[in-house]
Amino acid sequence: EDACAIGLVNAIVLPDDLLAVALETADAIAANAPLAVQATWRGARELRDLPLAEAYRRQEELGRPLRATDDAREAQQAFVEKRRPVWRGR
């Protein structure tokens, strides 16, 4: 409960519900832009051991190229059109 309160874990679930919650979480992650998911995963691995200022700098380096992708433009267009984006991984 303490880990949940400080944001270390997303939820506390009963053992019988664990697989269903894990699959729901995986589906939510998979629904995002593939390039963004890859960059997030890379960042999670790279940034965890860096000092805070360096982690922020590296996070910006990882995220900057994503803003120029076709998927970023698709996200903006889908938002304007009030529809789900169609990711292409480009």
Side-chain angles (χ1 to χ4, degrees):
E1 289 177 358
D2 289 342
C4 192
I6 64 170
L8 189 59
V9 296
N10 294 336
I12 300 170
V13 299
L14 297 172
D16 289 346
D17 298 330
L18 184 58
L19 181 58
V21 172
L23 291 173
E24 287 173 13
T25 301
D27 286 343
I29 293 168
N32 289 286
L35 296 175
V37 173
Q38 291 169 359
T40 300
W41 178 242
R42 183 175 176 189
R45 290 190 316 263
E46 286 187 26
L47 304 179
R48 68 175 180 221
D49 296 326
L50 295 178
L52 187 58
E54 190 175 340
Y56 279 127
R57 181 190 57 74
R58 183 66 182 132
Q59 177 182 340
E60 174 59 25
E61 289 173 357
L62 292 171
R64 186 178 307 117
L66 296 175
R67 293 190 285 273
T69 64
D70 290 344
D71 280 351
R73 284 185 287 283
E74 168 62 10
Q76 293 169 356
Q77 191 66 36
F79 178 80
V80 168
E81 296 174 1
K82 298 184 176 159
R83 62 171 172 81
R84 289 181 181 252
V86 177
W87 308 123
R88 304 219 188 280
R90 301 184 292 211

